[in-house]
Amino acid sequence: MKTLLHCVIFIIFLSGCVAQLKRSTEPHLQILPSGSQEIRAGKNLVLTCRAQVPNQELIKDLKWIDPHGQIISQDNRVYSESHTEEAAISLFIKRLTSEDAGLYKCSAIYAANQEIVASVTVSIIIGITWSDAPTEQYATLGTDYKLRCKVQANPPANIDWLKESVIVSTGDRYVIETDGLLIKQISKSDGGTFTCRARVPQTGELEERNIILDVQEPPRWVLKPSNVQGIETEKVEFKCQALGSPHPRYTWVDREGIDATDKEGWKLEANTGTLIAYQLERKDAGQYTCIAENNAGRLEASAQLNVIIKPRVQELQNQTFPVGKEKGVLTCKASGDPLPKIIWRKWSRNEPYLPGGQPDDSRITIEEQTVDAPDYTEGERNWQQSTLTIDTLKRTDDGLYECQAVNDGGKFFQSGHLTVEFGPTFEDQQTSKEWSWDQRQTNLSCMATAIPNATISWWFRDLEIGREDLDKNYDIVGHGPLSILTVSPLAGKYYGHYTCKADNIYGSAIHEIELIQAHEPTQIQQAVLDKVTSTTLQFRFVPPTNIGGLPLDAYAVEYKETRHLWNQARRRVWPIAENGEYILEDLSPKTTFDLRFGCKNRVGFSPWGAGQQVTMPKRGRPEPPILNAEDYGMAGFLNDGGFIELDSSNKYELSWQIPEDNGLPIDMFLLQYFPVRVEQSYSDSWVQTGDIVKIEIQNRGSVRHMLDMPYRDTYVKIVLQAHNEYGFSDESVLIVRAGREKEEADEETPNAPFTASQLPLIPIIGSLLAVLVLLIILIDISCYKINEIGFTNFLCEKAKRFKKFDPQIENAKLNGQCLTSTHTLQGFGSGIKENSPLLDTNAHNRVNLTSINSNKAITVNTVGYDV
């Protein structure tokens, strides 16, 4: 049996060899490399087809045919090249893809009639490739979503899934499909990292891709847009806000769907969804829609924008009416949206006018109505009109009237003038008399008040100056409302009454101005001597009977010593004083003076007269100071009793006037004050009840002093005297009542002159300090005894270090020394020797030193030592 099997195998092998030998000898094509080709995608491949024939020159039409039966097209990636040195052709395929797989044929014609063909199978091995597997994917909350993971591989790959390293299996919510993982009813917990794992068992290839799933939430409103109202030319904001994941994007559009930010001056805050218009216009009014959207959804909500148009006065014209006219009307028209309210006010009046009649003036009425706006206005249909009507016009109605238009957008002001015309008057004329002297040129001024302005003409003795009277000594400047007539009175005929005449369409008026010839005043009637001191005289004057037509502007005196001539006299001129008192100072005491007096107006001085001779008294004490009782300085008042009553403070600022010094300068003031009470039995005299406080105030121009009185609810007598070398002046007295503190008890003793503030604080403070020092010494001694520390211990340690006392050495040190002092012993003992008390055992323990300069004895205690 075995022998038979061997024979069969041998026969088969022999047949194959015969067939192979026969095929190798027949014409055919050979493809290299031989056999089927398995190439990884992306690689390059070259196949060479050679003709195996006896005569290669008989090979024709050698070509390659692709798996689709088409001759290989020549391009940059797939093309063929024929060999020139042999009957062969090569096929080039670059960057292989799965489409390149298939059966490729090489064919040729041999000996013109024999077709020979060879073929090769090309298989493309594709590695794991992620064709559709984004690493970040988004799903909407509450929906089904397939997590995409599409893989290309040849051989095909097996796919499985993991989430956070945990294997995911198909179940109720997860379904693994060939192109992804289907998740049903996505929830927030489904978000996270999924791993798509691809395996090829045949090749052992393994690839993983992490895919992050973001579960997105569609927008939902937190703040829906609401209707807003904005003012023209001002800023307004539309607000809307939504929540979602990812954060929503906002867009605002108008009713036509145009993005609102395309408008000039409009801006969107992308994070908050707020739309801001910085310069509102009338045309911006309308509906606007807020759109909030993200990958998970979209929301829309609309709101209305109303634009308030600011009020504006469109018409207000000035009006002119004659005085007494039955009606005067001012009309004001204003625009705005909403239509404004109109308020009238006169500039000279604080309160506005009320609608209808006025309670304080029934002649004035206010009426309002709505009227059609003119055609030329843009977007306005109506205006508000208000009419101010005044019956029977008066001159006081003239002036500026303000029309104020008010609405929610603000206020607008415009003023119109109501002019009330009237005939001329001279109500503003200042003078009716003028003076001239010595042919002095004089101006006569005439002011006429009228609307319209009056024309002024000048008349003298029934002739119009400048037309009928052409005298060159007249000159007119201006003819209204102010006119000035300049007169050069070269003779007496120019003095008299001049007439100023004013004319306008409503009438005429005249005003007379008298030109008077002035002269110097006559002698004064009397000089009354009121007061005499050693250096001053005080006068009053009785004016002259004729002051020369002009008011007096000064009095004067010439004075000299009796022994001198008048050409040596001195002069003093006083301007007119309101109190009528005139003082001549710096006179010499015990000297006789001759005096004569005069007065002066604009023309000149009067003759001297009212002569007197006065002998000045000798020098003496100064006059008493003049206390300013009405100048309280602090909170208080001067009551009916003639004393100053302070409200609550015990401080009072005393002020006075410096008196006459009577020939010697005042060097100081003596101020005294003390508590007093009224003694009824002695004609209401003041009786001292407490100590006197004295203060000397040097006279350096001081006329004020602050008193801080330690009293409460007490009468205080203040006495002030001036002092010079001759002594003190008489007393100037003032009574002040100190104020009562609010918390002061009612039962406090009324006559108590002092309060708790006068307690002797210095002894108390000194006692406390002495106790404190004693306590410190005791503590220091205790520290020395117990711990050997402190100041006492320090002194003891120092004492231990001293050398034993040697009187010889100490005597040598002392001999020849000088005792000197920069204070009470200044200049004492220069070079004086004394016996040493250290060597003289009989010396006393007390040495008396006498100052040479002061003659005052100073006792110096010395210490004795035992040798």
Side-chain angles (χ1 to χ4, degrees):
M1 193 64 180
K2 286 185 177 181
T3 303
L4 179 60
L5 182 59
H6 290 164
C7 289
V8 171
I9 293 172
F10 176 76
I11 293 171
I12 293 172
F13 175 75
L14 183 60
S15 299
C17 290
V18 171
Q20 182 68 25
L21 180 61
K22 181 179 180 181
R23 187 163 49 250
S24 62
T25 58
E26 291 180 357
H28 63 277
L29 297 175
Q30 183 183 14
I31 296 175
L32 297 174
S34 60
S36 298
Q37 303 296 314
E38 290 185 354
I39 307 297
R40 184 172 293 275
K43 299 292 185 178
N44 299 327
L45 174 66
V46 58
L47 298 174
T48 302
C49 176
R50 287 192 179 94
Q52 300 294 328
V53 294
N55 186 357
Q56 291 188 355
E57 294 180 355
L58 297 178
I59 291 296
K60 302 294 184 182
D61 196 17
L62 183 61
K63 58 187 176 183
W64 280 96
I65 299 173
D66 64 18
H68 303 291
Q70 303 295 325
I71 298 175
I72 293 298
S73 60
Q74 302 293 319
D75 56 33
N76 292 331
R77 196 177 70 86
V78 180
Y79 56 91
S80 60
E81 290 182 359
S82 299
H83 296 205
T84 57
E85 66 277 5
E86 61 179 339
I89 187 171
S90 295
L91 172 62
F92 295 89
I93 305 175
K94 297 180 179 180
R95 301 181 299 280
L96 286 165
T97 65
S98 57
E99 287 78 8
D100 295 326
L103 181 65
Y104 288 84
K105 294 181 179 179
C106 178
S107 66
I109 302 298
Y110 180 69
N113 59 1
Q114 184 179 354
E115 180 180 8
I116 53 179
V117 178
S119 63
V120 60
T121 299
V122 176
S123 299
I124 304 299
I125 299 175
I126 299 176
I128 296 174
T129 303
W130 311 103
S131 59
D132 183 16
T135 57
E136 294 182 357
Q137 300 186 36
Y138 306 94
T140 302
L141 185 68
T143 63
D144 294 348
Y145 181 76
K146 181 185 287 187
L147 202 59
R148 305 193 311 277
C149 184
K150 188 175 182 181
V151 178
Q152 286 187 346
N154 190 16
N158 297 330
I159 304 296
D160 57 2
W161 288 86
L162 297 89
K163 182 185 180 186
E164 313 294 349
S165 302
V166 177
I167 295 176
V168 177
S169 302
T170 298
D172 294 337
R173 297 187 60 247
Y174 295 101
V175 178
I176 299 177
E177 299 181 354
T178 57
D179 57 349
L181 174 64
L182 177 63
I183 305 174
K184 298 178 181 180
Q185 292 297 310
I186 289 285
S187 65
K188 281 285 188 182
S189 61
D190 292 324
T193 302
F194 288 81
T195 301
C196 177
R197 188 166 61 185
R199 295 176 294 172
V200 179
Q202 293 86 337
T203 63
E205 186 177 6
L206 172 67
E207 293 289 342
E208 291 182 347
R209 169 159 288 198
N210 290 330
I211 299 174
I212 298 174
L213 177 61
D214 184 8
V215 178
Q216 297 184 339
E217 183 178 357
R220 67 178 188 278
W221 289 119
V222 173
L223 178 63
K224 296 182 78 172
S226 58
N227 296 338
V228 296
Q229 188 170 265
I231 299 174
E232 178 188 22
T233 72
E234 295 186 6
K235 173 183 172 182
V236 71
E237 293 183 355
F238 265 120
K239 293 186 177 181
C240 75
Q241 189 175 0
L243 288 180
S245 180
H247 187 73
R249 301 178 300 276
Y250 296 100
T251 307
W252 282 87
V253 296
D254 61 16
R255 68 175 58 190
E256 297 176 358
I258 300 174
D259 194 324
T261 57
D262 291 345
K263 298 177 182 287
E264 185 177 358
W266 289 58
K267 179 182 176 182
L268 173 63
E269 293 183 352
N271 293 332
T272 63
T274 300
L275 178 67
I276 304 174
Y278 289 96
Q279 288 284 334
L280 272 183
E281 299 180 15
R282 181 194 300 270
K283 63 183 179 180
D284 293 330
Q287 179 178 290
Y288 290 84
T289 300
C290 174
I291 302 172
E293 58 183 335
N294 62 12
N295 296 336
R298 171 187 174 110
L299 286 177
E300 293 185 6
S302 299
Q304 191 74 21
L305 171 61
N306 296 320
V307 179
I308 296 175
I309 306 303
K310 291 183 177 181
R312 187 173 289 102
V313 175
Q314 300 289 354
E315 290 184 11
L316 178 59
Q317 297 180 351
N318 299 333
Q319 299 292 339
T320 301
F321 303 100
V323 66
K325 184 175 175 61
E326 292 184 1
K327 289 186 182 296
V329 178
L330 281 176
T331 301
C332 177
K333 295 181 181 180
S335 64
D337 187 9
L339 284 175
K341 177 183 177 182
I342 295 179
I343 301 172
W344 287 94
R345 186 181 68 86
K346 190 176 182 182
W347 276 37
S348 59
R349 169 189 168 109
N350 292 328
E351 299 298 325
Y353 292 115
L354 303 176
Q358 306 307 307
D360 57 344
D361 193 344
S362 59
R363 299 179 305 114
I364 302 175
T365 56
I366 305 292
E367 296 178 351
E368 266 193 50
Q369 61 179 334
T370 302
V371 297
D372 294 335
D375 295 336
Y376 60 79
T377 58
E378 180 181 353
E380 296 178 4
R381 296 183 179 180
N382 301 108
W383 282 356
Q384 192 72 9
Q385 175 179 293
S386 180
T387 303
L388 183 148
T389 304
I390 305 176
D391 296 334
T392 314
L393 286 166
K394 300 178 181 179
R395 283 184 54 190
T396 55
D397 296 324
D398 187 286
L400 283 170
Y401 289 80
E402 178 183 86
C403 172
Q404 179 182 195
V406 182
N407 70 2
D408 295 339
K411 299 178 181 180
F412 190 92
F413 303 87
Q414 187 168 321
S415 296
H417 195 277
L418 176 64
T419 303
V420 178
E421 297 182 333
F422 57 93
T425 68
F426 290 97
E427 58 196 58
D428 296 325
Q429 177 67 28
Q430 299 294 323
T431 60
S432 58
K433 291 183 180 181
E434 287 292 344
W435 290 265
S436 179
W437 57 93
D438 298 334
Q439 300 181 355
R440 181 175 178 176
Q441 198 176 70
T442 302
N443 292 332
L444 306 182
S445 298
C446 183
M447 169 67 76
T449 303
I451 299 178
N453 287 333
T455 300
I456 294 177
S457 58
W458 287 92
W459 300 73
F460 185 59
R461 296 175 181 168
D462 297 328
L463 296 177
E464 184 178 357
I465 298 173
R467 290 190 178 182
E468 298 172 356
D469 187 346
L470 301 177
D471 194 325
K472 293 183 179 180
N473 291 314
Y474 296 122
D475 182 38
I476 299 175
V477 178
H479 292 279
L482 174 65
S483 180
I484 298 175
L485 172 64
T486 302
V487 182
S488 300
L490 303 182
K493 67 176 183 177
Y494 291 99
Y495 294 97
H497 291 83
Y498 289 81
T499 301
C500 169
K501 183 179 181 182
D503 296 278
N504 72 358
I505 60 175
Y506 294 105
S508 61
I510 62 173
H511 177 73
E512 286 193 352
I513 301 176
E514 184 181 4
L515 179 59
I516 304 170
Q517 186 173 7
H519 56 81
E520 299 90 346
T522 59
Q523 289 184 358
I524 64 173
Q525 299 182 60
Q526 186 180 2
V528 181
L529 181 59
D530 285 336
K531 186 176 180 181
V532 179
T533 70
S534 62
T535 58
T536 64
L537 299 173
Q538 181 174 313
F539 296 96
R540 286 182 294 111
F541 298 109
V542 179
T545 56
N546 186 349
I547 62 174
L550 291 172
L552 298 179
D553 53 29
Y555 285 101
V557 62
E558 279 191 346
Y559 60 100
K560 67 180 182 62
E561 295 183 19
T562 303
R563 56 192 175 88
H564 293 159
L565 299 176
W566 280 108
N567 59 4
Q568 295 176 293
R570 289 180 289 175
R571 178 180 294 185
R572 170 70 187 274
V573 179
W574 297 283
I576 297 297
E578 292 183 2
N579 59 5
E581 297 178 355
Y582 303 90
I583 299 175
L584 181 62
E585 305 101 340
D586 299 328
L587 300 176
S588 300
K590 300 173 64 176
T591 305
T592 301
F593 289 93
D594 293 331
L595 303 98
R596 59 185 183 181
F597 302 91
C599 57
K600 173 184 173 296
N601 63 11
R602 289 165 57 191
V603 179
F605 273 98
S606 70
W608 297 106
Q612 294 187 23
Q613 188 177 82
V614 179
T615 300
M616 305 301 295
K618 65 179 181 180
R619 291 184 176 91
R621 297 179 304 147
E623 298 296 315
I626 302 172
L627 297 179
N628 299 325
E630 70 282 356
D631 187 9
Y632 315 136
M634 305 299 293
F637 59 94
L638 186 65
N639 64 12
D640 296 337
F643 57 86
I644 295 175
E645 187 162 356
L646 303 181
D647 290 342
S648 60
S649 174
N650 61 344
K651 292 184 178 181
Y652 175 68
E653 186 177 49
L654 181 68
S655 66
W656 62 91
Q657 300 176 25
I658 297 178
E660 297 294 335
D661 57 15
N662 276 333
L664 288 174
I666 296 172
D667 53 9
M668 66 99 173
F669 293 93
L670 176 62
L671 173 63
Q672 305 176 69
Y673 60 93
F674 48 89
V676 295
R677 61 180 173 83
V678 177
E679 186 63 52
Q680 300 291 342
S681 60
Y682 294 98
S683 302
D684 294 341
S685 61
W686 297 96
V687 179
Q688 178 180 341
T689 61
D691 294 336
I692 298 177
V693 178
K694 295 185 178 182
I695 301 174
E696 292 186 359
I697 303 172
Q698 299 301 316
N699 182 23
R700 298 187 181 90
S702 301
V703 293
R704 290 181 180 273
H705 187 80
M706 180 65 72
L707 300 181
D708 192 356
M709 298 175 290
Y711 315 111
R712 293 289 187 275
D713 194 23
T714 304
Y715 292 102
V716 180
K717 185 175 182 179
I718 301 174
V719 179
L720 184 67
Q721 294 174 278
H723 180 271
N724 64 10
E725 290 184 10
Y726 277 91
F728 287 98
S729 69
D730 293 338
E731 295 180 346
S732 295
V733 178
L734 183 66
I735 303 296
V736 174
R737 183 176 181 179
R740 174 186 287 267
E741 295 290 346
K742 293 182 179 180
E743 65 273 10
E744 189 174 358
D746 293 338
E747 61 273 10
E748 180 180 324
T749 304
N751 293 328
F754 294 93
T755 63
S757 62
Q758 290 181 277
L759 290 176
L761 296 180
I762 294 178
I764 296 175
I765 295 174
S767 300
L768 292 176
L769 290 175
V771 172
L772 181 61
V773 171
L774 181 60
L775 182 61
I776 292 174
I777 292 174
L778 292 175
I779 293 174
D780 186 75
I781 294 174
S782 299
C783 293
Y784 167 68
K785 291 294 185 179
I786 297 173
N787 298 322
E788 295 185 355
I789 59 174
F791 186 74
T792 302
N793 181 70
F794 173 79
L795 294 178
C796 292
E797 291 296 326
K798 285 290 184 181
K800 291 178 181 179
R801 297 192 187 99
F802 288 164
K803 296 180 180 179
K804 183 177 180 180
F805 181 80
D806 188 346
Q808 297 294 335
I809 296 175
E810 297 300 321
N811 182 59
K813 291 181 180 179
L814 290 174
N815 283 335
Q817 289 186 345
C818 299
L819 299 176
T820 62
S821 173
T822 59
H823 299 291
T824 59
L825 300 179
Q826 183 175 357
F828 172 80
S830 177
I832 297 176
K833 277 193 172 183
E834 293 182 352
N835 292 329
S836 172
L838 300 177
L839 297 177
D840 188 358
T841 57
N842 295 321
H844 296 87
N845 289 338
R846 186 176 302 275
V847 179
N848 291 328
L849 303 180
T850 303
S851 172
I852 295 173
N853 295 331
S854 62
N855 295 324
K856 293 181 181 178
I858 299 176
T859 300
V860 179
N861 290 328
T862 62
V863 181
Y865 295 89
D866 294 329
V867 180

